[in-house]
Amino acid sequence: MMRLSMIPKHKTRLGTVLGLLLPLIVGSGPAQPNKRSVYGHVDEVIDGDTLIVDGWVVDLMGIDAPENRQQNGPAARNWLERSVAYKRVRLACAPAHPQQRKRCMVYYQGTCINEAMARAGWAWPDQENGTTRAIR
């Protein structure tokens, strides 16, 4: 398997990032969907990258979206709401301390919502939550 550090730095454009690295994130490490997947019902969409699933606060792993008060924040939230609100989703989550939010890849009908948000232009690679190495 190719290590993320082996990818040349000039290949960091969003399209290349999403096309090459998101499948690696999903298929490796703690977020491997066939080993740590759980299903849940989306109770609420908080903003463009945060959901409430069966009472748990879930951050979409690997992406960042504008907050509700920021420009395009309400539009990003609406896109996510139209995609998954009140629907049954599959979560592939990274291990977390019980007191922390869950960071997960979210799937609906086989589509990775994290990737779809970025492809639609409503999110970008997360720069702060330790996922930068995995996304670049």
Side-chain angles (χ1 to χ4, degrees):
M1 179 187 294
M2 182 184 346
R3 296 184 151 241
L4 296 177
S5 61
M6 296 170 66
I7 297 173
K9 290 189 181 201
H10 69 279
K11 298 235 180 209
T12 59
R13 291 200 170 92
L14 184 59
T16 302
V17 167
L18 294 175
L20 295 175
L21 297 180
L22 277 175
L24 290 175
I25 294 169
V26 173
S28 65
Q32 193 171 20
N34 61 356
K35 290 190 178 179
R36 292 194 179 258
S37 288
V38 294
Y39 289 85
H41 183 264
V42 177
D43 302 323
E44 184 180 353
V45 175
I46 302 298
D47 58 27
D49 57 9
T50 309
L51 306 170
I52 304 290
V53 178
D54 291 338
W56 289 91
V57 178
V58 175
D59 287 332
L60 274 65
M61 183 167 62
I63 64 167
D64 193 16
E67 301 300 321
N68 288 328
R69 67 186 180 283
Q70 295 174 325
Q71 183 177 0
N72 295 322
R77 179 185 180 278
N78 289 340
W79 188 96
L80 186 59
E81 196 166 56
R82 285 191 311 272
S83 299
V84 297
Y86 311 112
K87 297 176 182 169
R88 186 172 185 254
V89 295
R90 180 168 57 99
L91 304 174
C93 301
H97 187 276
Q99 304 289 326
Q100 294 177 335
R101 291 182 175 191
K102 295 186 178 301
R103 292 184 316 125
C104 306
M105 301 300 285
V106 177
Y107 298 87
Y108 176 68
Q109 294 183 340
T111 300
C112 178
I113 299 302
N114 308 49
E115 182 178 352
M117 284 280 300
R119 286 189 190 273
W122 296 116
W124 53 88
D126 189 351
Q127 300 287 323
E128 294 192 16
N129 288 323
T131 56
T132 304
R133 290 183 306 249
I135 296 294
R136 283 189 193 180

